[in-house]
Amino acid sequence: MENLNYRTSRPISLNGVHDITICAYSINGGSFSCIDLVNCYNIHITQCELANSDKLAVNLTGCVNVLIDDCNVANVSGGIYSLNGINIQVKNNKLKKLGPKGVLVSFENVGADMADASSCAINNMLE
């Protein structure tokens, strides 16, 4: 992760998008979440630097089949949040300097028929 040539980007906000990979971006969120996805599916967020946000590194609402892996997250209010998501995976991310609440990953409103322990796999390094 350390030797990538990141492309600088403004915060990414997508609605209804599917079958894409967000890779090797350096995103400073400012007053927005670094990545905000609504009703998206089959999304892979990988090898990104997500930093300096008063909100979240990644905010997901109603998303399905999302993999977030090998990202560096720093200086954000909160890490990764999913509301009404299905099959959201968060793996091998490096997080440091989270906000006062220090929430790494939060899944909300996942019904029993949608929940799968393997879908919520978390293997992250917190510094």
Side-chain angles (χ1 to χ4, degrees), residues 61-122:
T61 306
C63 295
V64 178
N65 297 330
V66 177
L67 172 60
I68 303 165
D69 66 351
D70 299 319
C71 292
N72 288 317
V73 177
N75 298 317
V76 294
S77 180
I80 297 156
Y81 174 76
S82 174
L83 174 64
N84 300 327
I86 301 171
N87 194 29
I88 309 299
Q89 297 181 59
V90 180
K91 299 181 178 182
N92 302 318
N93 296 288
K94 188 175 182 180
L95 297 102
K96 60 183 179 181
K97 298 183 183 174
L98 295 178
K101 293 182 182 177
V103 176
L104 170 65
V105 178
S106 177
F107 297 100
E108 185 177 341
N109 233 15
V110 177
D113 59 333
M114 298 178 208
D116 178 356
S118 65
S119 299
C120 302
I122 302 166

